[in-house]
Amino acid sequence: MTYRRAVIPALVGGLLLTLLLWWAGASTHALQVRGATSVFDPQSVSELERWLTPWSYDSTAELMSGGPVGGSMVTGGDTQYAELHSTAMQIRFVAVFVLFLAGALLLVRRIPPTQGRTPATLLALWAWAPVAGTLAVTVSAPWLIASRGHGSYRVLPALAGVVASSGPVVVFAGLSTAVVTVLVARVTAKGEEPLPRRSVPPRAARTAASVGTGVVALSLVVLSYQSVAAWIQTSFSGAGMLSEPGDLLRQWLLLGGWTGPASSGLGDWLLYRAVDVFMLAVVWWALRLLPGLLTRATVPAMAVGAVCATVLGLLASQVLHMAIDDTAGVYGPVHRFSALGNGVPAALTFGIAAALAAVATLRLAGGSGTGAVPVGRDTADVPG
């Protein structure tokens, strides 16, 4: 698909995601009206406030600080901090629009929803929405931290808290956005000569997917193991504003949390490990199909595609964790969805690393040819 055709659905998707997140943030006060707790239980109301406040323009909300919504951030009538918060939110919404637009433009152009690619395009766009949200809150973090009035104190832990705050609301908004973007892309793709899929040797595709999945497993299995994660948390020290980087490192390096079977019942331990294996299987399968789905396997396209594959595996594992979660009776039913979107920074880090490893493996294995040929049963585009 040409850029001229791809930019239309990308613009529509970017605008829709931004509007949905703005509407979600503007709905924060609806949870504070009298009678809200008669619709939702108090635990669910508190959880929904935590989801929505990262996208709220309300400068009186103690965003991402763990405090109750409605606490004052402005003292003595000074509006400086409120203006900083407003600036942070302006940057956040502009950033989420631009970042989703850029990723969607590349995805729609390289994985156009034609010739059986529609499900792949839909899933890739859905996975890209949490990435855009995470990067947007990261870009706007300095202004938001400064708006709390103590911008020079524990900057890195505060930054880690902001990075982790985009919340499940982006996942839900991203699903709606992906559906609309694909529908618009199918309309704009009509009348254009579809590019045939690339022929990728199956062995090269499987090898590249295995290497890329191994990079992701390094985070999920090795770095996320309890003792290693604790070492990452506590072994790096600094001074002044850049002290205590452990929380931030964990955000960008750890995809999960492994413990030994002695820490819980063997049955529960095996169940959670099975979910981790399922996540790696989803990543492997997506990486195996990715080179054949792309109209041209460039490094940027492979990088964005691998990040989306990693996020999809992460979301799949989180949905399975929801199914085995037994805390809804204690924390409310909304709490089941609270983990959606966690780990996206690490998925971004290791998704890019997995893409680079997969591209290098494809080239070494002879699967980097750029010639586009019709898809046959012996190509990596076809499952099996």
Side-chain angles (χ1 to χ4, degrees):
M1 183 181 289
T2 62
Y3 278 115
R4 181 175 59 85
R5 292 176 181 265
V7 73
I8 298 174
L11 277 170
V12 171
L15 286 171
L16 179 59
L17 180 63
T18 305
L19 288 174
L20 287 174
L21 293 176
W22 177 86
W23 171 77
S27 302
T28 305
H29 285 296
L31 298 172
Q32 301 171 352
V33 300
R34 182 172 301 181
T37 53
S38 64
V39 179
F40 302 100
D41 56 272
Q43 294 88 349
S44 296
V45 169
S46 177
E47 188 71 23
L48 288 171
E49 285 180 346
R50 186 181 68 84
W51 291 8
L52 299 180
T53 49
W55 305 99
S56 173
Y57 260 93
D58 180 17
S59 62
T60 64
E62 295 183 18
L63 303 181
M64 283 73 72
S65 65
V69 174
S72 176
M73 293 176 59
V74 182
T75 60
D78 192 354
T79 61
Q80 179 181 6
Y81 295 145
E83 291 174 353
L84 279 172
H85 179 267
S86 179
T87 300
M89 298 311 300
Q90 292 170 11
I91 294 172
R92 180 165 298 185
F93 282 109
V94 171
V96 76
F97 169 75
V98 172
L99 290 165
F100 185 84
L101 170 65
L105 181 61
L106 183 60
L107 288 171
V108 172
R109 176 169 163 77
R110 296 303 181 197
I111 314 179
T114 57
Q115 292 190 330
R117 294 187 179 102
T118 300
T121 310
L122 176 64
L123 291 174
L125 289 170
W126 180 32
W128 183 250
V131 177
T134 297
L135 292 175
V137 298
T138 303
V139 169
S140 62
W143 288 267
L144 189 65
I145 294 172
S147 71
R148 298 173 183 171
H150 45 79
S152 62
Y153 175 68
R154 291 171 54 87
V155 172
L156 296 184
L159 179 60
V162 174
V163 169
S165 68
S166 59
V169 65
V170 186
V171 179
F172 294 123
L175 181 58
S176 302
T177 300
V179 172
V180 173
T181 304
V182 167
L183 291 176
V184 176
R186 288 183 64 87
V187 173
T188 58
K190 289 182 178 179
E192 185 179 54
E193 183 69 21
L195 290 175
R197 297 188 187 180
R198 297 175 61 249
S199 176
V200 182
R203 178 173 295 179
R206 287 193 293 265
T207 303
S210 299
V211 172
T213 304
V215 173
V216 176
L218 174 65
S219 171
L220 183 64
V221 178
V222 179
L223 298 183
S224 296
Y225 190 71
Q226 189 176 37
S227 59
V228 180
W231 179 81
I232 293 174
Q233 177 76 38
T234 59
S235 294
F236 297 93
S237 61
M241 293 178 61
L242 301 181
S243 62
E244 303 180 42
D247 290 336
L248 190 60
L249 289 173
R250 284 172 62 92
Q251 286 293 329
W252 292 94
L253 295 179
L254 273 59
L255 276 168
W258 277 72
T259 59
S263 62
S264 60
L266 181 60
D268 292 338
W269 185 86
L270 290 175
L271 184 60
Y272 277 91
R273 299 295 74 80
V275 172
D276 292 331
V277 171
F278 178 75
M279 173 186 168
L280 293 177
V282 171
V283 172
W284 185 89
W285 187 251
L287 290 178
R288 178 185 178 272
L289 297 179
L290 181 61
L293 289 170
L294 294 169
T295 57
R296 185 180 178 190
T298 61
V299 174
M302 284 290 292
V304 173
V307 169
C308 292
T310 309
V311 173
L312 282 175
L314 194 64
L315 291 175
S317 68
Q318 289 167 354
V319 170
L320 289 181
H321 279 133
M322 287 163 46
I324 61 179
D325 184 16
D326 58 356
T327 60
V330 178
Y331 299 105
V334 177
H335 180 73
R336 285 186 181 271
F337 302 93
S338 61
L340 282 178
N342 290 348
V344 171
L348 179 62
T349 300
F350 285 91
I352 294 174
L356 296 177
V359 168
T361 304
L362 276 175
R363 291 179 177 177
L364 291 174
S368 60
T370 58
V373 299
V375 176
R377 290 295 301 178
D378 60 341
T379 65
D381 310 80
V382 182

